[in-house]
Amino acid sequence: MSVRTQSSEEPAEAVHRAGFACFVGRPNAGKSTLTNALVGQKVAITSNRPQTTRHTVRGIVHREDAQLILVDTPGLHKPRTLLGERLNDVVRTTWAEVDVIGFCLPANEKLGPGDRFIAKELAGIKKTPKVAIVTKTDLVDSKTLAEQLIAVDQLGKELGITWAEIVPVSATGNQQVSLLADLLTPLLPEGPALYPEGDLTDEPEQVMVAELIREAALEGVRDELPHSIAVVVEEMLPREDRPADKPLLDIHANVYIERPSQKGIIIGPKGKRLKDVGIKSRKQIEALLGTPVFLDLHVKVAKDWQRDPKQLRRLGF
């Protein structure tokens, strides 16, 4: 006797896909915001200042039919410092290892030399499928958007890139974000999920905590300290002798800057700025880790760390 259940109507084996996608684009093209919108939680740091993503933050999108792992690389740019060169190497290595590349181009800025520089690099990577993603569509009218979509199509033709798709999205307005996931999925290889359900990122928690502190520290000093801030979490330890229902996590972190003169900028008059950084990042860290946190922040000078290989290593680059 056969008992028919609902699932017996379906094909015997639905195909499941799993793989890696990375978003590329010049700094501030909306890559991190898009990663967060797809994952549905804040995993990559976003700031409207370029060059804020320094680590390959992976966001993980869990779907019934697929698992899409997003690798967020730093923006590719013409390097001026050793740090810049290291970041560009990270980008190229990442591109060679992923299953699909999403090239992010903001709708509100005409294609420029920076976009062309990246597109030329992309043209050299033959096998990997490429999707052109026109971001920030909420900032333009339909005519400007149409012109940008045509320009992106042209750019591909000019450089011999065949776009698998050209998709306009607004991550902040949540428009077409799920469509983008639908279009990326078929480009992934078949296979089982690579990460357990519930994982949102494989970044070690300490790195994510450092990124949240760094984002808060950048907040008010955009123009004065563009890229001079690095954050290292020295330790994260549960406070001893706390009742099980009232845990507290002690986090000790150092904010590194390049010159003594920058110390006052970060600390602020009577320590107010540093206090604000602490309050802001603590809220985000508590939301991320789901536990109350005591955050201890110190500002230290690491002279010209962006140009010094030893210091770069020590600060995790």
Side-chain angles (χ1 to χ4, degrees):
M1 154 190 151
S2 76
V3 178
R4 286 176 68 85
T5 60
Q6 205 176 356
S7 64
S8 62
E9 308 287 353
E10 291 169 10
E13 197 53 61
V15 172
H16 187 278
R17 295 177 182 275
F20 294 84
C22 81
F23 293 144
V24 306
R26 59 191 160 77
N28 209 15
K31 301 179 294 286
S32 297
T33 311
L34 191 53
T35 299
N36 293 335
L38 278 160
V39 176
Q41 282 214 23
K42 186 163 187 166
V43 292
I45 77 162
T46 55
S47 132
N48 53 14
R49 116 142 315 116
Q51 277 321 102
T52 44
T53 312
R54 288 232 175 100
H55 294 278
T56 305
V57 179
R58 295 176 173 81
I60 303 164
V61 183
H62 300 275
R63 297 166 52 108
E64 294 231 325
D65 58 342
Q67 189 176 69
L68 176 64
I69 299 131
L70 300 167
V71 188
D72 191 24
T73 55
L76 188 82
H77 56 100
K78 294 192 169 150
R80 283 190 298 276
T81 61
L82 182 64
L83 173 67
E85 280 168 37
R86 291 247 171 121
L87 292 178
N88 281 355
D89 291 343
V90 170
V91 176
R92 292 195 186 92
T93 315
T94 305
W95 292 4
E97 291 166 358
V98 296
D99 301 298
V100 55
I101 297 172
F103 182 19
C104 295
L105 301 126
N108 62 331
E109 295 173 36
K110 282 208 171 3
L111 300 188
D115 300 310
R116 207 164 277 276
F117 175 72
I118 294 168
K120 277 189 182 137
E121 293 271 336
L122 282 179
I125 298 170
K126 295 293 180 214
K127 290 201 176 86
T128 317
K130 299 160 200 69
V131 173
I133 305 165
V134 176
T135 58
K136 310 188 182 188
T137 57
D138 53 309
L139 301 179
V140 297
D141 58 22
S142 52
K143 181 173 175 287
T144 310
L145 177 57
E147 284 165 3
Q148 188 73 327
L149 293 169
I150 292 165
V152 170
D153 185 44
Q154 277 305 114
L155 180 68
K157 288 197 173 103
E158 228 174 278
L159 297 172
I161 301 171
T162 309
W163 301 121
E165 306 278 353
I166 298 178
V167 199
V169 300
S170 162
T172 48
N174 205 11
Q175 288 156 349
Q176 305 240 94
V177 173
S178 57
L179 171 70
L180 176 63
D182 293 343
L183 296 172
L184 291 173
T185 297
L187 301 170
L188 303 176
E190 291 182 21
L194 301 167
Y195 288 89
E197 184 74 60
D199 278 13
L200 291 172
T201 172
D202 75 349
E203 273 292 321
E205 284 178 342
Q206 258 171 269
V207 173
M208 293 186 71
V209 166
E211 290 283 81
L212 288 171
I213 295 168
R214 188 162 169 269
E215 181 180 21
L218 276 172
E219 201 60 7
V221 294
R222 299 202 183 297
D223 308 319
E224 298 157 279
L225 307 180
H227 312 311
S228 315
I229 300 174
V231 175
V232 176
V233 172
E234 299 296 338
E235 58 175 18
M236 285 173 48
L237 296 168
R239 175 87 53 100
E240 287 175 18
D241 312 328
R242 296 281 294 191
D245 58 343
K246 289 200 175 147
L248 183 67
L249 188 64
D250 283 318
I251 298 179
H252 299 277
N254 290 328
V255 177
Y256 288 96
I257 45 175
E258 293 192 296
R259 290 187 291 286
S261 60
Q262 298 169 335
K263 220 169 171 172
I265 299 174
I266 286 285
I267 293 171
K270 297 191 176 158
K272 186 179 177 325
R273 274 221 72 247
L274 191 63
K275 193 177 171 196
D276 290 348
V277 170
I279 292 168
K280 188 169 183 211
S281 52
R282 196 188 77 233
K283 278 193 187 132
Q284 303 254 17
I285 294 164
E286 290 181 337
L288 173 76
L289 303 177
T291 177
V293 161
F294 171 79
L295 182 59
D296 176 39
L297 286 182
H298 292 274
V299 179
K300 300 198 167 183
V301 178
K303 204 163 158 11
D304 291 332
W305 63 265
Q306 297 196 51
R307 287 173 166 47
D308 176 348
K310 272 225 258 325
Q311 304 225 49
L312 280 171
R313 269 201 301 280
R314 193 169 59 89
L315 297 175
F317 301 116

